[in-house]
Amino acid sequence: MRLPLLALAAATALTLPQAAFAQQDVPVTRPGKEALDILKQIVAIPSVMGHGNVPKVAEVLRQRLIAGGFASEDVVFTPVGETGYLTARYRGRDPKLKPVVINPHMDVVAADAKDWERDPFTPVIENGYIYGRGSADDKGDLSMVVAALIDLKRQGWVPSRDVILGASGDEETLMRSTAALAESLKNAELVLNADGGGGELANDFTPIVYSVQAGEKTYADLKLSITDPGGHSSRPGSLNAIGAMARALAKVDAYKFPPQISPLTKAYWEGTAPHAPEEVAQAMRAYAADPKNLGAIETLSSRPEYVGLVRTTCVPTMVNGGHAANALPQSVTANINCRIFPGTTRMQARDIIAGVIDDPHITVELADDGSIEAPESPLRDDVMKAIGVAVHQRIPGLAVVPSMSAGASDSMYFRALGIPAYGVAATFMRPDDDFSHGLNERLPLATIDPGVKQWETVLKTLLK
Ligand SMILES: [Zn+2]
């Protein structure tokens, strides 16, 4: 899942180079060319849930890695139902040290060809982009990572400890391969997630910020229901199921969870303030300094791009009830969607909402949607330094800011096992280019060659 970075589009423009990001050249030399070749090959495989195609993507990558110098016994595909995960071990100097995992995903969101301008599963290079489902999410970074690992082998580089490519096969849906992958790698030192964080460009191609995703909110759906014997609408009783549900939903709509701040969001507010418009910047600084500052809370909560970072949110998203225009309703159901700040459990959020509704006629149940709770990852100096070196080699002076996303990536399965995980994708994009999960998904060609180099530099700096 590639989530839009927290918008800084209105940020003060930095005096940074635009030309490099506006170029339309197809990479012609290693390792960018290899990344593009891999990307074209795997975009053509529709690795959508239910089609059994993820093993075919894995096989393409397996053959590339073995041709690139990996021992065949070190590159293994493990089936999980119709999908599965691929691991490739890049051996380091000290096999006793815990490995570093790089985690992209091989599956893609479904795409209906009749709605697309170009066939979603035919890679098309046009106007400086490669088009196709998965070109950005997440086959772009997946291809860059594989090309980087092959290029590092070719250079003869040996990391201080093992690096394991661990590519999952159902990140966009059930995450069963992710759960199995995380379990198989639970001795890992840390995870670099290739489907989170990344660089944001303004629509004029000016680089704005690079974000490192170090935490995500927990997803939860609450199912509300009320039933009543009903009857003829000319004889209303004391309870009307629609009326009761309406009052419950109005209470949930009006309720605000208490504002929260964590080490991660504090670092985000402080790191983002220098690049934000003045009135927001002031609120960010004030909130980071004093999370009880009501003015700052109000300013940040009034902006859709920031409200999710201030507090847990639970909002009504669906309602269904009644069966005839002239009958008392017998059943009404509703859905409340929650994005929960790390540190609060899904059940605690349910209990809070049930308390807010405070009506014994209405049941509030936590839906079993496969989501799990995970803590945020500490901002490790070695990781932040390696990312800083790699990003600044690409764009000197660019702000590198930690971030929390609205959920839910593969990282939550690793974090839940106590393994810190960091979203450090090497893709730089404009908001105008981001069609992940949508129609006409595309990846700017200009991000490929420097993206491969960014991955190489991150690894060489972190594991020298
Ligand atoms: Zn994704």
Side-chain angles (χ1 to χ4, degrees):
M1 179 182 299
R2 180 172 297 280
L3 290 154
L5 296 174
L6 295 150
L8 289 169
T12 338
L14 303 180
T15 44
L16 290 166
Q18 298 161 243
F21 292 98
Q23 62 146 354
Q24 303 197 348
D25 303 341
V26 175
V28 289
T29 55
R30 271 172 176 274
K33 181 180 183 310
E34 175 142 36
L36 182 59
D37 286 348
I38 296 170
L39 181 54
K40 286 195 284 193
Q41 217 178 337
I42 61 179
V43 162
I45 303 171
S47 49
V48 173
M49 182 169 84
H51 293 76
N53 283 333
V54 168
K56 294 177 194 163
V57 174
E59 183 55 21
V60 167
L61 302 176
R62 199 182 71 86
Q63 285 179 16
R64 289 267 180 180
L65 288 160
I66 291 169
F70 280 73
S72 62
E73 66 270 23
D74 286 345
V75 189
V76 179
F77 178 75
T78 305
V80 178
E82 57 109 17
T83 179
Y85 61 85
L86 178 75
T87 54
R89 184 180 292 267
Y90 191 129
R91 294 188 181 272
R93 296 195 295 275
D94 188 348
K96 291 191 297 298
L97 293 176
K98 295 158 126 191
V100 162
V101 172
I102 306 178
N103 168 226
H105 67 88
M106 299 181 283
D107 59 308
V108 295
V109 175
D112 194 342
K114 71 178 183 335
D115 299 330
W116 284 52
E117 284 168 33
R118 304 163 192 80
D119 181 71
F121 299 109
T122 304
V124 174
I125 289 179
E126 222 174 273
N127 317 321
Y129 295 93
I130 170 166
Y131 289 84
R133 170 58 86 226
S135 56
D137 182 10
D138 182 40
K139 290 175 173 173
D141 265 90
L142 171 62
S143 302
M144 289 186 238
V145 166
V146 171
L149 294 175
I150 292 169
D151 194 46
L152 289 168
K153 279 266 183 198
R154 196 177 51 84
Q155 294 169 27
W157 178 71
V158 181
S160 55
R161 59 175 80 218
D162 288 3
V163 176
I164 300 180
L165 169 70
S168 64
D170 58 347
E171 192 268 357
E172 301 287 7
T173 53
L174 302 172
M175 291 191 165
R176 292 198 180 121
S177 69
T178 311
L181 174 68
E183 186 61 30
S184 77
L185 296 173
K186 66 180 170 198
N187 71 328
E189 173 71 16
L190 60 90
V191 172
L192 302 174
N193 187 309
D195 190 32
E200 188 177 347
L201 306 175
N203 280 328
D204 69 357
F205 296 99
T206 307
I208 294 176
V209 70
Y210 183 86
S211 84
V212 178
Q213 195 259 46
E216 56 198 335
K217 292 177 98 178
T218 306
Y219 182 104
D221 282 318
L222 304 179
K223 302 290 176 192
L224 272 46
S225 57
I226 179 169
T227 53
D228 185 69
H232 200 283
S233 62
S234 64
R235 297 179 207 154
S238 59
L239 179 84
N240 179 291
I242 289 177
M245 183 63 83
R247 284 189 293 278
L249 295 177
K251 286 182 191 169
V252 173
D253 183 43
Y255 178 71
K256 287 195 167 41
F257 281 76
Q260 270 180 281
I261 201 153
S262 68
L264 174 56
T265 58
K266 188 169 195 286
Y268 172 81
W269 296 123
E270 288 169 349
T272 306
H275 316 285
E278 192 41 41
E279 75 277 14
V280 189
Q282 269 183 17
M284 289 175 174
R285 288 192 191 95
Y287 187 53
D290 173 15
K292 293 195 167 62
N293 184 315
L294 293 177
I297 291 165
E298 200 172 317
T299 302
L300 296 174
S301 300
S302 69
R303 304 227 167 194
E305 66 270 43
Y306 301 129
V307 64
L309 289 174
V310 173
R311 49 165 56 95
T312 293
T313 59
C314 287
V315 296
T317 52
M318 292 196 296
V319 62
N320 189 13
H323 57 282
N326 58 359
L328 297 172
Q330 292 170 352
S331 158
V332 185
T333 59
N335 190 80
I336 307 288
N337 182 249
C338 298
R339 306 294 172 123
I340 305 164
F341 216 88
T344 301
T345 67
R346 285 154 47 90
M347 194 48 92
Q348 283 168 337
R350 188 223 79 98
D351 292 348
I352 291 168
I353 290 299
V356 166
I357 293 171
D358 190 26
D359 182 342
H361 298 105
I362 294 186
T363 57
V364 183
E365 283 174 317
L366 186 57
D368 182 14
D369 49 30
S371 286
I372 57 168
E373 294 138 11
E376 59 183 46
S377 300
L379 297 171
R380 284 172 57 139
D381 285 346
D382 56 347
V383 173
M384 296 307 286
K385 177 171 172 278
I387 304 303
V389 167
V391 168
H392 292 149
Q393 190 177 70
R394 191 169 175 178
I395 308 160
L398 186 69
V400 177
V401 175
S403 71
M404 177 169 78
S405 72
S409 73
D410 278 349
S411 289
M412 68 181 173
Y413 280 89
F414 291 97
R415 291 185 184 128
L417 292 172
I419 305 162
Y422 305 90
V424 292
T427 295
F428 275 68
M429 260 198 214
R430 308 181 302 161
D432 282 6
D433 288 336
D434 195 352
F435 297 94
S436 300
H437 295 204
L439 293 176
N440 308 315
E441 183 177 349
R442 63 190 188 178
L443 184 78
L445 295 172
T447 209
I448 295 176
D449 210 30
V452 177
K453 291 197 185 86
Q454 181 175 322
W455 276 110
E456 292 186 6
T457 306
V458 167
L459 293 173
K460 283 178 163 175
T461 312
L462 186 63
L463 302 172
K464 62 170 173 280

